[in-house]
Amino acid sequence: GECSAFKERFMECLRHSGYESAACRQSAMAYLECRMDRRVAQLMANEPLEKLGFKDLINEKSEEKAEKS
């Protein structure tokens, strides 16, 4: 239940996008990050997000931080 809010946001995004998963990649990444961060509960092994197909989103986050600085 620790990541249920992230899961619900992801599922809501899917419903609103007609189940187009590409439109919900930010939500999917946040959900997976939550699961990996709570490794104590053995929810998911920690994997680099780049390896899970989110390299472009990570680069966007880095660029946004650089622009705000």
Side-chain angles (χ1 to χ4, degrees):
E2 293 180 51
C3 298
S4 60
F6 291 97
K7 180 182 122 188
E8 286 305 315
R9 274 179 265 185
F10 175 61
M11 295 305 295
E12 184 175 326
C13 179
L14 286 175
R15 285 189 289 275
H16 287 297
S17 70
Y19 295 92
E20 286 291 328
S21 61
C24 302
R25 291 182 67 229
Q26 289 282 356
S27 299
M29 185 174 78
Y31 176 53
L32 292 175
E33 283 181 308
C34 178
R35 290 181 59 100
M36 288 187 289
D37 287 346
R38 280 130 182 105
R39 286 184 9 189
V40 175
Q42 301 289 328
L43 292 177
M44 182 177 176
N46 200 7
E47 290 286 340
L49 291 169
E50 295 90 350
K51 192 173 178 182
L52 296 174
F54 295 104
K55 184 175 182 175
D56 60 323
L57 296 180
I58 294 166
N59 289 340
E60 285 176 17
K61 277 186 178 180
S62 298
E63 289 172 6
E64 286 175 11
K65 285 182 185 179
E67 288 175 5
K68 289 180 182 178
S69 299

